[in-house]
Amino acid sequence: MRWDRYVHPDDLANFNKRYEALLEGRSDIYESEYRMRARSGNWRWIMSRGRVTARDAVGRIARLAGVTIDIDARKRMELALRDSEARLRRRR
């Protein structure tokens, strides 16, 4: 089963674009923020960062190090702040 099927549809194109750049050798660094469906069925914001540390003779990834972090609380605060600032600008 592919885990990317749990990525929010609105985030999937950007998620895939960055991942494909890594696989195709156009980048050795991967960083993306996206929503992923949790076991509860709710969407949670996730941040993934990775770096290719070795490629084989034909350029395929031989070694990759990375981390995936739940950033849901931070991202929700950022979005709430952005909405609040937009409402304030409209009132002026």
Side-chain angles (χ1 to χ4, degrees):
M1 177 174 14
R2 289 182 51 126
W3 62 272
D4 61 345
R5 70 182 244 187
Y6 297 106
V7 174
H8 192 282
D10 292 345
D11 302 330
L12 194 55
N14 186 49
F15 173 87
N16 283 334
K17 178 180 150 187
R18 292 172 186 265
Y19 189 63
E20 287 169 7
L22 187 75
L23 292 177
E24 294 169 0
R26 291 181 280 121
S27 177
D28 282 337
I29 297 173
Y30 176 81
E31 184 170 336
S32 186
E33 292 184 2
Y34 53 92
R35 290 162 287 184
M36 183 169 258
R37 188 173 301 279
R39 286 188 180 128
S40 67
N42 297 327
W43 294 105
R44 298 201 54 88
W45 280 98
I46 303 296
M47 190 252 324
S48 293
R49 286 185 181 162
R51 177 183 297 266
V52 174
T53 58
R55 291 190 183 268
D56 66 14
V58 294
R60 291 180 302 219
I61 297 172
R63 194 170 313 135
L64 173 72
V67 64
T68 298
I69 301 169
D70 183 331
I71 60 166
D72 194 69
R74 186 202 81 192
K75 193 69 171 184
R76 290 185 189 278
M77 283 190 288
E78 286 175 5
L79 294 171
L81 178 59
R82 192 175 308 149
D83 289 345
S84 178
E85 289 171 339
R87 283 193 310 271
L88 181 61
R89 280 192 299 275
R90 285 191 301 266
R91 289 183 182 177
R92 291 183 181 172

